[in-house]
């Protein structure tokens, strides 16, 4: 390299850190805080992980969208703080990464509702016309060198940290399911319905991912599909307590598609139909549940009597509103 040729990456150590540089083997995890700046005269700050609410976790060897971050981390010791200037050709993916991190931070703060957008994770820089953030859109149009100030908080070898579901292989996912059910049940008994629902949903995610490996209709796929039923029922029960009645209807209906005579699904869906004011559907589900399980006859009669009372009140309200219109 000629002496006057600009390096792609330059590093300045701000704090030396502790110990030797780790091996950074594939599957290990680096947890770090970062700040991002433009390499302009004012060193304009773009992002700060502390402002976003949490440090970033990077799995080594997993081909993260911003590959340069892995290369930077691999030069660092634990507790080290360093500033890197990276040539613009290495940081073209930063707007996509930053958009994702900002969106996750807003969801965590409740500023936007959670939604599952499968397209968001697979979009390319060329396909994305706008990030929704003017400063990131400017970076997409006017590519430039960026400065990353990184503090490596912790390095963990494979096996030293609890894997997230997406990090597990098929065998690990399957063996993880009973443990998630046990944790969810304990949380449910403690009336921590939101936390319990999250565990049941995590187990369902494992089973969904395992189903993708099998041919629909084959026995391994059918066995995994049957395993979903108790988790769907438990999740629906939590959502019933939490007042998310449309989710209860959705998940109990999924159970009934698999098992049309599932009494728990019928009863819970009936309760949700009442809350969503679908009285006819509620009556049908209550009556079918009682027909399948006569021990529910007394309970269902009480529910139907209460529903009839609500229907009369509802009809009376409608009559009063009609009278008011013609006055």
């Amino acid at each position: 390299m000629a002496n006057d040729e600009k390096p792609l990456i330059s590093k300045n150590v701000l704090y030396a850190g502790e110990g030797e540089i780790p091996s950074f083997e594939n599957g290990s995890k680096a947890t770090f805080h970062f700040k991002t700046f433009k390499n302009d005269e004012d060193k304009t700050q773009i992002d700060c992980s502390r402002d976003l609410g949490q440090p970033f976790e990077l799995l080594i060897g997993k081909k993260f969208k911003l590959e340069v971050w892995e290369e930077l981390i691999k030069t660092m010791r634990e507790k080290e703080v360093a500033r890197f200037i990276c040539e613009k050709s290495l940081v073209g993916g930063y707007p996509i990464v930053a958009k994702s991190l900002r969106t996750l931070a807003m969801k965590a703060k409740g500023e936007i509702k959670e939604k599952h957008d499968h397209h968001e994770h697979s979009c390319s820089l060329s396909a994305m016309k706008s990030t929704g953030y003017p400063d990131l859109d400017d970076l997409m149009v006017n590519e430039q060198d960026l400065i990353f100030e990184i503090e490596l908080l912790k390095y963990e070898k494979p096996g030293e940290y609890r894997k997230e579901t997406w990090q597990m292989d098929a065998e690990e996912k399957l063996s993880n399911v009973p443990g998630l059910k046990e944790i969810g049940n304990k949380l449910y008994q403690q009336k921590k319905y939101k936390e319990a629902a999250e565990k049941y949903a995590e187990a369902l995610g494992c089973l969904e991912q395992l189903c993708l490996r099998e041919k629909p209709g084959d026995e391994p796929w059918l066995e995994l599909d049957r395993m979903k039923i108790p988790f769907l029922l438990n999740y629906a029960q939590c959502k019933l307590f939490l007042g998310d009645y449309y989710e209860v209807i959705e998940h109990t209906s999924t159970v009934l598609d698999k098992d049309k005579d599932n009494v728990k699904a019928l009863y819970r869906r009936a309760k949700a139909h009442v809350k969503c004011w679908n009285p006819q559907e509620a009556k049908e589900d209550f009556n079918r549940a009682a027909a399948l399980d006569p021990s529910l006859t007394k309970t269902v009669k009480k529910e139907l009597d209460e529903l009839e009372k609500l229907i009369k009140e509802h009809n009376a309200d409608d009559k009063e509103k009609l009278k008011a219109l013609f006055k």
Side-chain angles (χ1 to χ4, degrees), residues 197-258:
E198 289 170 355
K199 292 302 174 185
Y200 297 139
E202 191 177 341
L204 284 166
C206 287
L207 293 171
E208 289 282 1
Q209 291 165 28
L210 289 168
C211 279
L212 292 174
R213 299 169 56 89
E214 307 295 340
K215 183 179 178 181
D218 282 359
E219 187 52 40
W221 185 91
L222 290 171
E223 178 60 28
L224 290 165
D225 199 47
R226 285 191 288 268
M227 287 175 67
K228 295 177 190 175
I229 290 176
F231 291 101
L232 287 164
L233 289 170
N234 290 353
Y235 183 84
Q237 183 62 43
C238 290
K239 291 296 180 177
L240 197 59
F241 279 116
L242 293 168
D244 297 330
Y245 302 118
Y246 287 103
E247 279 206 66
V248 177
I249 292 171
E250 177 188 348
H251 288 83
T252 50
S253 295
T254 299
V255 171
L256 291 163
D257 287 340
K258 305 174 193 297

Side-chain angles (χ1 to χ4, degrees), residues 10 12 27 41 61 74 91 119 133 141 148 301-302 310:
S10 64
N12 179 29
E41 186 176 347
K74 283 181 175 179
V91 295
H119 301 290
Y133 297 96
V141 176
F148 299 112
K301 184 180 183 307
K302 184 178 178 182
L310 290 172

Side-chain angles (χ1 to χ4, degrees), residues 49-322:
S49 59
R50 286 185 168 84
D51 293 340
L52 294 173
Q54 60 184 12
F56 188 81
E57 296 179 347
L58 178 68
L59 290 182
I60 303 300
K62 293 295 183 179
K63 296 184 178 179
F64 180 60
K65 287 177 182 176
L66 192 61
E67 294 180 13
V68 70
W69 269 5
E70 183 170 320
E71 298 308 311
L72 304 183
I73 290 295
K74 283 181 175 179
T75 71
M76 300 182 70
R77 297 175 172 83
E78 277 195 314
K79 312 300 182 186
E80 180 180 327
V81 182
R83 184 178 294 128
F84 301 87
I85 301 176
C86 298
E87 206 270 341
K88 63 182 179 182
S89 63
L90 302 176
V91 295
Y94 184 77
I96 295 176
V97 171
K99 175 187 183 295
S100 297
L101 294 177
R102 293 181 188 185
T103 301
L104 287 171
M106 291 175 71
K107 287 177 180 176
K109 295 174 184 176
E111 294 174 6
I112 58 175
K113 290 185 178 179
E114 180 74 31
K115 67 177 182 178
H116 300 286
D117 185 351
H118 300 291
H119 301 290
E120 180 178 330
H121 302 290
S122 60
C123 63
S124 66
L125 183 61
S126 59
M128 183 184 287
K129 294 180 180 179
S130 174
T131 63
Y133 297 96
D135 59 337
L136 299 180
D137 289 345
D138 180 65
L139 282 181
M140 292 176 69
V141 176
N142 303 302
E143 293 184 354
Q144 55 191 279
D145 298 355
L146 293 180
I147 300 172
F148 299 112
E149 190 174 294
I150 295 177
E151 178 184 358
L152 180 56
L153 302 172
K154 183 167 57 174
Y155 168 75
E156 296 167 282
K157 294 179 181 179
E160 292 182 344
Y161 61 93
R162 182 183 177 277
K163 290 184 178 181
E164 300 293 334
T165 302
W166 63 271
Q167 299 165 355
M168 298 177 182
D169 60 30
E171 187 176 340
E172 289 172 323
K173 285 173 185 172
L174 189 59
S175 64
N176 194 42
V177 168
L180 289 169
K181 183 178 182 181
E182 184 179 348
I183 296 169
N185 290 348
K186 286 181 179 177
L187 290 166
Y188 180 85
Q189 290 165 6
Q190 296 167 8
K191 298 185 178 181
K192 296 179 179 178
Y193 302 122
K194 181 176 181 294
E195 293 83 353
E198 289 170 355
K199 292 302 174 185
Y200 297 139
E202 191 177 341
L204 284 166
C206 287
L207 293 171
E208 289 282 1
Q209 291 165 28
L210 289 168
C211 279
L212 292 174
R213 299 169 56 89
E214 307 295 340
K215 183 179 178 181
D218 282 359
E219 187 52 40
W221 185 91
L222 290 171
E223 178 60 28
L224 290 165
D225 199 47
R226 285 191 288 268
M227 287 175 67
K228 295 177 190 175
I229 290 176
F231 291 101
L232 287 164
L233 289 170
N234 290 353
Y235 183 84
Q237 183 62 43
C238 290
K239 291 296 180 177
L240 197 59
F241 279 116
L242 293 168
D244 297 330
Y245 302 118
Y246 287 103
E247 279 206 66
V248 177
I249 292 171
E250 177 188 348
H251 288 83
T252 50
S253 295
T254 299
V255 171
L256 291 163
D257 287 340
K258 305 174 193 297
D259 178 10
K260 63 184 178 64
D261 294 333
N262 192 291
V263 174
K264 288 181 179 179
L266 285 164
Y267 187 79
R268 289 168 194 177
R269 188 171 72 173
K271 297 274 285 185
H273 274 313
V274 171
K275 294 296 185 179
C276 295
W277 198 242
N278 302 319
Q280 186 56 42
E281 290 88 342
K283 286 181 183 180
E284 291 172 3
D285 281 349
F286 276 135
N287 285 323
R288 181 156 175 75
L292 290 166
D293 184 356
S295 70
L296 287 174
T297 301
K298 188 180 288 186
T299 301
V300 165
K301 184 180 183 307
K302 184 178 178 182
E303 294 283 0
L304 289 172
D305 288 346
E306 184 63 28
L307 180 57
E308 286 300 330
K309 181 181 176 183
L310 290 172
I311 290 171
K312 288 178 182 178
E313 290 175 357
H314 190 82
N315 290 339
D317 286 343
D318 286 346
K319 286 180 181 179
E320 289 300 320
K321 288 175 183 176
L322 282 172

Side-chain angles (χ1 to χ4, degrees), residues 15-27:
Y15 176 75
E18 301 172 357
E20 299 297 321
I21 295 176
S23 59
F24 291 104
E25 58 195 286
N26 284 349

